Amino acid sequence: MKELSLHILDIAQNSLVAGATLIEVSVNANTETDILRIEITDNGKGIAPEVLPIVMDPYTTSRTTRKVGMGLPLLKDACEMSGGSLTITSEVGKGTAIKAMLGYGHIDRQPLGDISGVIMLLVSANINVDFIYKHSLNGNEYIFDTREIKEVLEGLPLNSPEVYKLLKEMLSLNLDEIQIR
Amino acid sequence: MNKVKSLADLKKMKEQLQGKIDLREKGESPEGRVQIKVAMATCGIASGAKTVMEFLIDELEKRSIDAVVTQTGCMGYCYAEPTIEVKLPNQEPVVFGYVDTQKADEIVEKYIKNGELVDGIIPMNYNTIDN
């Protein structure tokens, strides 16, 4: 896992498995404070209080197909490598919030990578889930909200190749103007 | 064609999109389409599942194959990631392992187009792939 956008793809998967219907991802960079914040918030089933302290343990997983769960530990490691940290808060029945803080200019900070590609994969592979993506650099923000898009497209499927291509183009055009490395 | 940048631009494109989709989906039921699931857990992503999924979405459209590409969790074949499950209409799903873009191309050309089996099939012994 060498790009932050791939970590986002991975962590969002947890939200999907938790039955979330709305997932908000935000990437917020500030060159002044030299901090890159990544937050993934969902309205899924949440994590039980007794499990919460051990979720960062790679040998903790709720899956039955295997005994390891590497997603969160890998992201935590990526944060700490850049002088940052990862915190997770959750309430059963309400949802979970993952907050990653990284050193923006730190030499060991992984690059953001293809974030528009990742967001579009999540959107097109899970058309019944809504996604909000907030992308901001030094206060200059772009918000991509599938609830607004679905309203405009009035029932056209977001996973049809035509719509996928157009939305991907729209997202990358806007993100190109707010480039976070 | 003008580039779509805002929701207003998107709205202008709506009718054109609608037309294209209606034309393609006429008389097609979801069961009649090829269904592909890409395993997208930590193991899959770390092995390049994102690249494979984007390749499939782009190439299936270019080759005019009507398919739905979605993602799923880890199937327990972490050693063989990226893995994909392909379900042809009215057939049992087949799971392929070690799928890079080259393998994905072979699966599209041989299995999806002609029903010919290709190397890399993982025998299925699970009931659910979501847990």
Side-chain angles (χ1 to χ4, degrees), chain B residues 35-114:
Chain B
Q35 293 177 46
I36 302 177
K37 287 180 183 167
V38 182
M40 243 339 149
T42 314
C43 44
I45 296 169
S47 314
K50 172 182 170 281
T51 316
V52 172
M53 187 162 167
E54 284 177 333
F55 175 86
L56 285 169
I57 294 177
D58 291 343
E59 289 303 312
L60 290 166
E61 195 224 350
K62 279 186 202 153
R63 300 177 199 186
S64 311
I65 296 167
D66 189 18
V68 196
V69 185
T70 56
Q71 57 184 71
T72 178
C74 175
M75 301 188 236
Y77 305 117
C78 306
Y79 62 92
E81 294 291 348
T83 52
I84 67 170
E85 183 195 275
V86 183
K87 189 184 178 311
L88 298 184
N90 310 315
Q91 282 190 40
E92 286 294 308
V94 176
V95 177
F96 296 91
Y98 303 106
V99 183
D100 53 11
T101 49
Q102 206 182 339
K103 191 80 204 171
D105 178 63
E106 194 187 347
I107 293 169
V108 172
E109 286 303 313
K110 293 193 176 158
Y111 184 62
I112 297 181
K113 281 194 180 167
N114 303 324

Coordinates of all heavy atoms in Angstrom, one line a residue, chain B residues 35-114:
Chain B
Q35 N -21.6 -10.3 -14.9 CA -21.4 -9.7 -13.6 C -20.0 -10.0 -13.1 O -19.6 -11.2 -13.0 CB -22.4 -10.1 -12.6 CG -23.8 -9.6 -13.0 CD -24.9 -10.1 -12.1 OE1 -24.7 -10.1 -10.9 NE2 -26.0 -10.6 -12.6
I36 N -19.2 -9.0 -12.8 CA -17.8 -9.2 -12.3 C -17.7 -8.6 -11.0 O -18.1 -7.4 -10.7 CB -16.8 -8.6 -13.3 CG1 -17.0 -9.2 -14.7 CG2 -15.4 -8.8 -12.8 CD1 -16.1 -8.6 -15.8
K37 N -17.1 -9.3 -10.1 CA -16.8 -8.8 -8.7 C -15.3 -8.8 -8.5 O -14.7 -9.8 -8.7 CB -17.5 -9.6 -7.6 CG -19.0 -9.4 -7.6 CD -19.5 -10.3 -6.5 CE -21.1 -10.2 -6.4 NZ -21.6 -11.3 -5.6
V38 N -14.8 -7.6 -8.1 CA -13.3 -7.6 -7.9 C -13.1 -7.6 -6.4 O -13.8 -6.8 -5.7 CB -12.7 -6.3 -8.5 CG1 -11.2 -6.2 -8.3 CG2 -13.0 -6.2 -10.0
A39 N -12.3 -8.5 -5.9 CA -12.1 -8.5 -4.4 C -11.2 -7.3 -4.0 O -10.2 -7.1 -4.5 CB -11.3 -9.8 -4.1
M40 N -11.8 -6.5 -3.1 CA -11.2 -5.2 -2.8 C -11.0 -5.1 -1.3 O -11.4 -4.1 -0.7 CB -12.3 -4.2 -3.2 CG -12.0 -3.2 -4.3 SD -10.5 -2.7 -4.8 CE -11.0 -2.3 -6.5
A41 N -10.3 -6.0 -0.7 CA -9.9 -5.8 0.7 C -8.4 -5.4 0.7 O -7.9 -5.2 -0.4 CB -10.1 -7.1 1.5
T42 N -7.9 -5.3 1.9 CA -6.5 -4.8 2.0 C -5.6 -5.6 1.1 O -4.7 -5.1 0.3 CB -6.0 -4.9 3.4 OG1 -7.0 -4.4 4.3 CG2 -4.7 -4.2 3.7
C43 N -5.7 -7.0 1.1 CA -4.8 -7.8 0.3 C -5.0 -7.6 -1.2 O -4.0 -7.5 -1.9 CB -5.1 -9.3 0.6 SG -6.9 -9.7 0.7
G44 N -6.2 -7.4 -1.6 CA -6.5 -7.2 -3.0 C -6.0 -5.8 -3.5 O -5.3 -5.7 -4.5
I45 N -6.2 -4.8 -2.7 CA -5.8 -3.4 -3.0 C -4.3 -3.4 -3.1 O -3.7 -2.8 -4.1 CB -6.4 -2.4 -2.0 CG1 -7.9 -2.4 -2.1 CG2 -5.8 -1.0 -2.3 CD1 -8.5 -1.6 -0.9
A46 N -3.6 -4.0 -2.1 CA -2.2 -3.9 -2.1 C -1.6 -4.7 -3.3 O -0.4 -4.4 -3.7 CB -1.7 -4.5 -0.8
S47 N -2.3 -5.6 -3.8 CA -1.8 -6.3 -5.0 C -2.2 -5.7 -6.3 O -1.8 -6.3 -7.4 CB -2.3 -7.8 -5.0 OG -2.2 -8.3 -3.7
G48 N -3.0 -4.7 -6.3 CA -3.3 -4.0 -7.6 C -4.7 -4.1 -8.1 O -5.0 -4.0 -9.2
A49 N -5.7 -4.5 -7.1 CA -7.0 -4.6 -7.6 C -7.7 -3.4 -8.2 O -8.5 -3.5 -9.1 CB -7.9 -5.1 -6.4
K50 N -7.2 -2.2 -7.7 CA -7.8 -1.0 -8.2 C -7.5 -0.9 -9.7 O -8.3 -0.5 -10.5 CB -7.2 0.2 -7.5 CG -7.6 1.6 -8.1 CD -7.0 2.7 -7.3 CE -7.2 4.0 -8.1 NZ -6.2 4.2 -9.2
T51 N -6.2 -1.1 -10.1 CA -5.8 -1.0 -11.5 C -6.6 -2.0 -12.4 O -7.1 -1.7 -13.4 CB -4.3 -1.4 -11.6 OG1 -3.6 -0.7 -10.6 CG2 -3.8 -1.0 -13.0
V52 N -6.8 -3.2 -11.8 CA -7.6 -4.3 -12.6 C -9.0 -3.8 -12.7 O -9.6 -4.0 -13.8 CB -7.5 -5.6 -11.8 CG1 -8.4 -6.6 -12.5 CG2 -6.0 -6.1 -11.8
M53 N -9.6 -3.3 -11.7 CA -11.0 -2.9 -11.8 C -11.2 -1.8 -12.8 O -12.1 -1.8 -13.6 CB -11.5 -2.5 -10.4 CG -13.0 -2.2 -10.4 SD -13.6 -2.2 -8.7 CE -15.2 -1.5 -9.0
E54 N -10.3 -0.8 -12.8 CA -10.4 0.3 -13.7 C -10.2 -0.2 -15.1 O -10.9 0.2 -16.1 CB -9.4 1.4 -13.4 CG -9.8 2.2 -12.2 CD -8.8 3.3 -11.8 OE1 -7.6 3.1 -12.1 OE2 -9.2 4.3 -11.2
F55 N -9.2 -1.1 -15.3 CA -9.0 -1.7 -16.6 C -10.3 -2.4 -17.1 O -10.7 -2.2 -18.3 CB -7.9 -2.8 -16.5 CG -7.6 -3.5 -17.7 CD1 -6.7 -3.0 -18.7 CD2 -8.1 -4.8 -17.9 CE1 -6.4 -3.7 -19.9 CE2 -7.9 -5.5 -19.1 CZ -7.0 -5.0 -20.1
L56 N -10.9 -3.2 -16.2 CA -12.1 -3.9 -16.7 C -13.2 -3.0 -17.0 O -13.9 -3.1 -18.1 CB -12.6 -4.8 -15.5 CG -11.8 -6.1 -15.3 CD1 -12.1 -6.8 -14.0 CD2 -12.0 -7.1 -16.5
I57 N -13.5 -1.9 -16.2 CA -14.5 -1.0 -16.5 C -14.3 -0.3 -17.9 O -15.2 -0.2 -18.8 CB -14.6 0.1 -15.4 CG1 -15.1 -0.5 -14.1 CG2 -15.6 1.2 -15.8 CD1 -15.2 0.4 -12.9
D58 N -13.0 0.1 -18.1 CA -12.7 0.8 -19.4 C -12.8 -0.1 -20.6 O -13.3 0.2 -21.6 CB -11.3 1.4 -19.3 CG -11.2 2.6 -18.3 OD1 -12.3 3.1 -18.0 OD2 -10.1 3.0 -17.9
E59 N -12.1 -1.3 -20.4 CA -12.0 -2.2 -21.6 C -13.4 -2.8 -22.0 O -13.7 -3.0 -23.1 CB -11.0 -3.3 -21.3 CG -9.6 -2.8 -21.3 CD -9.2 -2.1 -22.6 OE1 -9.4 -2.7 -23.6 OE2 -8.6 -1.0 -22.5
L60 N -14.2 -3.2 -21.0 CA -15.5 -3.8 -21.3 C -16.3 -2.8 -22.1 O -17.0 -3.2 -23.0 CB -16.2 -4.2 -20.0 CG -15.6 -5.4 -19.3 CD1 -16.1 -5.6 -17.9 CD2 -15.8 -6.7 -20.1
E61 N -16.2 -1.5 -21.8 CA -17.0 -0.5 -22.5 C -16.4 -0.4 -23.9 O -17.2 -0.4 -24.9 CB -16.9 0.8 -21.8 CG -18.0 1.8 -22.4 CD -17.5 3.2 -22.6 OE1 -16.4 3.5 -22.2 OE2 -18.2 3.9 -23.3
K62 N -15.1 -0.3 -24.0 CA -14.4 -0.2 -25.4 C -14.8 -1.4 -26.2 O -15.0 -1.3 -27.4 CB -12.9 -0.2 -25.2 CG -12.4 1.2 -24.9 CD -10.9 1.3 -24.9 CE -10.4 2.4 -24.1 NZ -9.0 2.2 -23.5
R63 N -14.9 -2.6 -25.6 CA -15.1 -3.8 -26.4 C -16.6 -4.1 -26.5 O -17.0 -5.2 -26.8 CB -14.4 -5.0 -25.8 CG -12.9 -4.7 -25.8 CD -12.1 -5.8 -25.1 NE -10.8 -5.3 -24.8 CZ -9.8 -6.0 -24.3 NH1 -10.0 -7.3 -24.1 NH2 -8.6 -5.5 -24.0
S64 N -17.5 -3.1 -26.1 CA -18.9 -3.2 -26.2 C -19.5 -4.5 -25.5 O -20.3 -5.2 -26.1 CB -19.4 -3.2 -27.6 OG -18.8 -2.1 -28.3
I65 N -19.0 -4.8 -24.3 CA -19.5 -5.9 -23.6 C -20.3 -5.3 -22.4 O -19.9 -4.5 -21.7 CB -18.4 -6.8 -23.0 CG1 -17.6 -7.5 -24.2 CG2 -19.0 -7.9 -22.1 CD1 -16.3 -8.1 -23.8
D66 N -21.6 -5.8 -22.4 CA -22.5 -5.2 -21.4 C -22.2 -5.9 -20.0 O -22.6 -7.1 -19.9 CB -23.9 -5.4 -21.8 CG -24.9 -4.6 -20.9 OD1 -24.4 -3.7 -20.2 OD2 -26.1 -4.9 -20.9
A67 N -21.6 -5.3 -19.1 CA -21.2 -5.9 -17.9 C -21.4 -5.0 -16.7 O -21.3 -3.8 -16.9 CB -19.8 -6.4 -17.9
V68 N -21.6 -5.6 -15.5 CA -21.6 -4.8 -14.3 C -20.4 -5.2 -13.5 O -20.2 -6.3 -13.2 CB -22.9 -5.1 -13.4 CG1 -23.1 -4.0 -12.4 CG2 -24.1 -5.3 -14.3
V69 N -19.6 -4.2 -13.2 CA -18.4 -4.4 -12.4 C -18.6 -3.9 -11.0 O -18.8 -2.7 -10.8 CB -17.1 -3.8 -13.0 CG1 -15.9 -4.2 -12.2 CG2 -17.0 -4.2 -14.5
T70 N -18.5 -4.8 -10.0 CA -18.7 -4.3 -8.6 C -17.5 -4.8 -7.8 O -16.6 -5.5 -8.3 CB -20.0 -4.7 -8.0 OG1 -20.0 -6.2 -8.0 CG2 -21.2 -4.2 -8.6
Q71 N -17.5 -4.4 -6.5 CA -16.4 -4.9 -5.7 C -17.0 -5.7 -4.5 O -18.1 -5.7 -4.2 CB -15.7 -3.7 -5.1 CG -16.5 -2.7 -4.3 CD -15.7 -1.5 -3.9 OE1 -15.4 -0.7 -4.7 NE2 -15.5 -1.4 -2.6
T72 N -16.1 -6.6 -4.0 CA -16.5 -7.4 -2.9 C -15.4 -7.5 -1.9 O -14.3 -6.9 -2.1 CB -16.9 -8.8 -3.4 OG1 -17.2 -9.6 -2.3 CG2 -15.7 -9.5 -4.1
G73 N -15.6 -8.1 -0.8 CA -14.5 -8.2 0.2 C -13.5 -9.3 -0.1 O -13.5 -9.8 -1.2
C74 N -12.8 -9.7 0.9 CA -11.7 -10.7 0.7 C -12.4 -12.1 0.7 O -13.3 -12.4 1.5 CB -10.8 -10.6 1.9 SG -9.6 -11.9 2.0
M75 N -12.0 -12.9 -0.3 CA -12.6 -14.2 -0.4 C -11.8 -15.2 0.4 O -12.0 -16.4 0.3 CB -12.7 -14.6 -1.8 CG -13.6 -13.7 -2.7 SD -13.9 -14.3 -4.3 CE -13.3 -13.0 -5.3
G76 N -10.7 -14.8 1.0 CA -9.8 -15.7 1.7 C -8.7 -16.2 0.8 O -7.9 -17.1 1.3
Y77 N -8.6 -15.8 -0.4 CA -7.5 -16.2 -1.3 C -6.4 -15.1 -1.4 O -6.0 -14.7 -2.4 CB -8.0 -16.5 -2.7 CG -9.1 -17.5 -2.6 CD1 -10.4 -17.2 -3.1 CD2 -8.9 -18.8 -2.1 CE1 -11.4 -18.2 -3.1 CE2 -9.9 -19.8 -2.1 CZ -11.1 -19.4 -2.6 OH -12.1 -20.4 -2.5
C78 N -6.0 -14.6 -0.2 CA -5.1 -13.5 -0.2 C -3.8 -13.8 -0.9 O -3.2 -12.9 -1.5 CB -4.8 -13.1 1.3 SG -6.2 -12.8 2.3
Y79 N -3.4 -15.0 -0.9 CA -2.1 -15.4 -1.6 C -2.3 -15.2 -3.1 O -1.3 -15.1 -3.8 CB -1.8 -16.8 -1.3 CG -2.8 -17.8 -1.8 CD1 -2.7 -18.4 -3.1 CD2 -3.9 -18.1 -1.0 CE1 -3.7 -19.3 -3.5 CE2 -4.9 -19.0 -1.4 CZ -4.8 -19.6 -2.7 OH -5.7 -20.4 -3.1
A80 N -3.5 -15.2 -3.6 CA -3.7 -15.2 -5.1 C -4.3 -13.9 -5.6 O -4.7 -13.8 -6.7 CB -4.6 -16.3 -5.5
E81 N -4.2 -12.8 -4.7 CA -4.8 -11.6 -5.2 C -4.0 -11.0 -6.3 O -2.8 -11.2 -6.4 CB -4.8 -10.6 -4.0 CG -5.7 -11.0 -2.9 CD -7.2 -10.9 -3.2 OE1 -7.5 -10.3 -4.3 OE2 -8.0 -11.4 -2.5
P82 N -4.6 -10.1 -7.1 CA -6.0 -9.8 -7.1 C -6.8 -10.9 -7.7 O -6.4 -11.6 -8.6 CB -6.1 -8.6 -8.1 CG -4.7 -8.1 -8.3 CD -3.8 -9.3 -8.0
T83 N -8.0 -11.1 -7.0 CA -8.9 -12.1 -7.5 C -10.2 -11.5 -8.1 O -10.6 -10.4 -7.5 CB -9.3 -13.1 -6.4 OG1 -9.8 -12.4 -5.3 CG2 -8.2 -14.0 -6.0
I84 N -10.8 -12.1 -9.1 CA -12.1 -11.6 -9.5 C -13.0 -12.7 -9.7 O -12.6 -13.9 -10.0 CB -11.9 -10.8 -10.9 CG1 -11.5 -11.7 -12.0 CG2 -11.0 -9.6 -10.7 CD1 -11.6 -11.0 -13.4
E85 N -14.3 -12.4 -9.5 CA -15.3 -13.5 -9.8 C -16.1 -13.0 -11.0 O -16.6 -11.9 -11.1 CB -16.2 -13.5 -8.5 CG -17.3 -14.6 -8.7 CD -18.4 -14.4 -7.6 OE1 -18.3 -14.9 -6.5 OE2 -19.4 -13.8 -8.0
V86 N -16.2 -13.9 -12.0 CA -17.0 -13.6 -13.2 C -18.2 -14.5 -13.3 O -18.1 -15.7 -13.2 CB -16.1 -13.8 -14.4 CG1 -16.8 -13.4 -15.7 CG2 -14.8 -13.1 -14.3
K87 N -19.3 -13.9 -13.5 CA -20.5 -14.7 -13.6 C -21.1 -14.4 -15.0 O -21.6 -13.3 -15.2 CB -21.6 -14.4 -12.5 CG -22.7 -15.3 -12.5 CD -23.8 -15.0 -11.5 CE -25.0 -16.0 -11.6 NZ -25.5 -16.2 -13.0
L88 N -21.1 -15.4 -15.9 CA -21.7 -15.2 -17.2 C -23.2 -15.5 -17.0 O -23.6 -16.2 -16.1 CB -21.1 -16.2 -18.2 CG -19.6 -16.0 -18.5 CD1 -19.1 -17.0 -19.5 CD2 -19.3 -14.6 -18.9
P89 N -24.0 -14.9 -17.9 CA -25.5 -15.1 -17.7 C -25.8 -16.6 -17.7 O -25.3 -17.4 -18.4 CB -26.1 -14.5 -19.0 CG -25.0 -13.5 -19.5 CD -23.7 -14.0 -19.0
N90 N -26.7 -17.0 -16.8 CA -27.1 -18.4 -16.6 C -26.0 -19.4 -16.3 O -26.1 -20.5 -16.7 CB -27.9 -18.9 -17.8 CG -29.0 -17.9 -18.1 OD1 -29.7 -17.4 -17.2 ND2 -29.1 -17.5 -19.4
Q91 N -24.9 -18.9 -15.7 CA -23.8 -19.9 -15.4 C -23.4 -19.7 -14.0 O -23.6 -18.6 -13.4 CB -22.7 -19.7 -16.3 CG -22.9 -20.3 -17.7 CD -21.6 -20.3 -18.5 OE1 -20.6 -20.6 -18.0 NE2 -21.8 -20.0 -19.8
E92 N -22.7 -20.7 -13.4 CA -22.1 -20.6 -12.1 C -21.0 -19.6 -12.1 O -20.2 -19.5 -13.1 CB -21.6 -21.9 -11.6 CG -22.7 -22.9 -11.2 CD -23.5 -22.5 -10.0 OE1 -22.8 -22.2 -9.0 OE2 -24.7 -22.4 -10.1
P93 N -20.8 -18.8 -11.1 CA -19.7 -17.9 -11.0 C -18.3 -18.6 -11.0 O -18.2 -19.7 -10.5 CB -19.8 -17.1 -9.7 CG -20.9 -17.7 -9.0 CD -21.6 -18.7 -9.9
V94 N -17.3 -18.0 -11.6 CA -16.0 -18.6 -11.6 C -15.0 -17.6 -11.0 O -15.1 -16.4 -11.3 CB -15.5 -19.0 -13.1 CG1 -14.1 -19.5 -13.1 CG2 -16.5 -20.0 -13.7
V95 N -14.1 -18.1 -10.2 CA -13.1 -17.2 -9.5 C -11.8 -17.3 -10.1 O -11.3 -18.5 -10.3 CB -13.1 -17.4 -8.0 CG1 -12.0 -16.5 -7.4 CG2 -14.4 -17.1 -7.3
F96 N -11.2 -16.3 -10.6 CA -9.8 -16.3 -11.1 C -8.9 -15.6 -10.2 O -9.2 -14.6 -9.5 CB -9.8 -15.5 -12.5 CG -10.6 -16.1 -13.5 CD1 -11.9 -15.7 -13.7 CD2 -10.1 -17.1 -14.4 CE1 -12.7 -16.3 -14.7 CE2 -10.9 -17.7 -15.4 CZ -12.2 -17.3 -15.5
G97 N -7.6 -16.2 -10.1 CA -6.6 -15.6 -9.2 C -5.5 -15.0 -10.0 O -5.4 -15.2 -11.2
Y98 N -4.6 -14.3 -9.3 CA -3.4 -13.6 -9.9 C -3.8 -12.8 -11.1 O -3.2 -12.9 -12.2 CB -2.4 -14.6 -10.3 CG -1.9 -15.5 -9.1 CD1 -2.3 -16.8 -9.0 CD2 -1.1 -14.9 -8.1 CE1 -1.8 -17.6 -7.9 CE2 -0.6 -15.7 -7.0 CZ -1.0 -17.0 -6.9 OH -0.6 -17.8 -5.9
V99 N -4.9 -12.0 -11.0 CA -5.4 -11.3 -12.2 C -4.7 -9.9 -12.3 O -5.0 -9.0 -11.5 CB -6.9 -11.1 -12.1 CG1 -7.4 -10.4 -13.4 CG2 -7.6 -12.4 -12.0
D100 N -3.7 -9.8 -13.2 CA -3.2 -8.4 -13.5 C -3.9 -8.0 -14.7 O -4.8 -8.7 -15.2 CB -1.7 -8.5 -13.6 CG -1.2 -9.5 -14.6 OD1 -2.1 -10.1 -15.4 OD2 0.0 -9.8 -14.7
T101 N -3.5 -6.8 -15.3 CA -4.3 -6.4 -16.5 C -4.1 -7.3 -17.7 O -5.1 -7.5 -18.4 CB -3.8 -4.9 -16.9 OG1 -2.4 -4.9 -17.0 CG2 -4.3 -3.9 -15.9
Q102 N -3.0 -8.0 -17.7 CA -2.8 -8.9 -18.9 C -3.7 -10.1 -18.8 O -4.4 -10.5 -19.7 CB -1.3 -9.4 -18.8 CG -0.8 -9.8 -20.2 CD 0.6 -10.3 -20.0 OE1 1.3 -10.0 -19.1 NE2 1.1 -11.1 -21.0
K103 N -3.8 -10.6 -17.5 CA -4.7 -11.8 -17.2 C -6.2 -11.3 -17.5 O -7.0 -12.1 -18.0 CB -4.5 -12.2 -15.8 CG -5.2 -13.5 -15.5 CD -4.3 -14.7 -16.0 CE -5.1 -15.9 -16.2 NZ -4.4 -16.9 -16.9
A104 N -6.5 -10.1 -17.0 CA -7.8 -9.6 -17.2 C -8.2 -9.5 -18.6 O -9.3 -9.9 -19.0 CB -8.0 -8.2 -16.5
D105 N -7.2 -9.1 -19.5 CA -7.5 -9.0 -20.9 C -7.8 -10.4 -21.5 O -8.7 -10.6 -22.2 CB -6.2 -8.5 -21.5 CG -6.3 -8.4 -23.0 OD1 -7.2 -7.6 -23.5 OD2 -5.5 -9.1 -23.7
E106 N -7.0 -11.4 -21.0 CA -7.2 -12.8 -21.5 C -8.6 -13.3 -21.0 O -9.3 -14.0 -21.8 CB -6.1 -13.7 -20.8 CG -6.0 -15.1 -21.5 CD -5.0 -16.0 -20.8 OE1 -4.2 -15.5 -19.9 OE2 -5.0 -17.2 -21.0
I107 N -9.0 -13.0 -19.8 CA -10.3 -13.4 -19.3 C -11.4 -12.8 -20.1 O -12.4 -13.5 -20.5 CB -10.4 -13.1 -17.8 CG1 -9.5 -13.9 -17.0 CG2 -11.9 -13.3 -17.3 CD1 -9.3 -13.5 -15.5
V108 N -11.3 -11.5 -20.5 CA -12.3 -10.9 -21.3 C -12.4 -11.5 -22.6 O -13.4 -12.0 -23.1 CB -12.0 -9.4 -21.4 CG1 -13.0 -8.7 -22.4 CG2 -12.1 -8.7 -20.1
E109 N -11.2 -11.7 -23.3 CA -11.2 -12.2 -24.7 C -11.6 -13.6 -24.7 O -12.4 -14.0 -25.6 CB -9.8 -12.0 -25.3 CG -9.4 -10.6 -25.6 CD -10.4 -10.0 -26.6 OE1 -10.7 -10.7 -27.6 OE2 -10.8 -8.9 -26.4
K110 N -11.1 -14.5 -23.8 CA -11.4 -15.9 -23.9 C -12.6 -16.3 -23.2 O -13.5 -17.0 -23.7 CB -10.2 -16.7 -23.5 CG -9.0 -16.6 -24.4 CD -8.0 -17.6 -24.1 CE -6.8 -17.5 -25.1 NZ -5.6 -18.2 -24.6
Y111 N -12.7 -16.0 -21.9 CA -13.8 -16.5 -21.1 C -15.1 -15.7 -21.3 O -16.1 -16.3 -21.6 CB -13.4 -16.5 -19.6 CG -14.5 -17.1 -18.7 CD1 -14.9 -18.5 -18.9 CD2 -15.2 -16.4 -17.8 CE1 -15.9 -19.1 -18.2 CE2 -16.3 -17.0 -17.1 CZ -16.6 -18.3 -17.3 OH -17.6 -18.8 -16.6
I112 N -15.0 -14.4 -21.2 CA -16.2 -13.7 -21.3 C -16.8 -13.7 -22.7 O -18.0 -13.9 -23.0 CB -16.0 -12.2 -20.8 CG1 -15.7 -12.3 -19.3 CG2 -17.3 -11.4 -21.0 CD1 -15.5 -10.9 -18.7
K113 N -15.9 -13.5 -23.7 CA -16.4 -13.5 -25.1 C -16.8 -14.9 -25.6 O -17.8 -15.0 -26.3 CB -15.3 -12.9 -26.0 CG -15.3 -11.4 -26.0 CD -14.5 -10.8 -27.1 CE -14.5 -9.3 -27.1 NZ -13.4 -8.8 -28.0
N114 N -15.9 -15.9 -25.3 CA -16.2 -17.2 -25.9 C -16.5 -18.4 -25.0 O -16.7 -19.5 -25.4 CB -14.9 -17.6 -26.7 CG -14.6 -16.6 -27.8 OD1 -15.4 -16.0 -28.4 ND2 -13.3 -16.4 -28.0

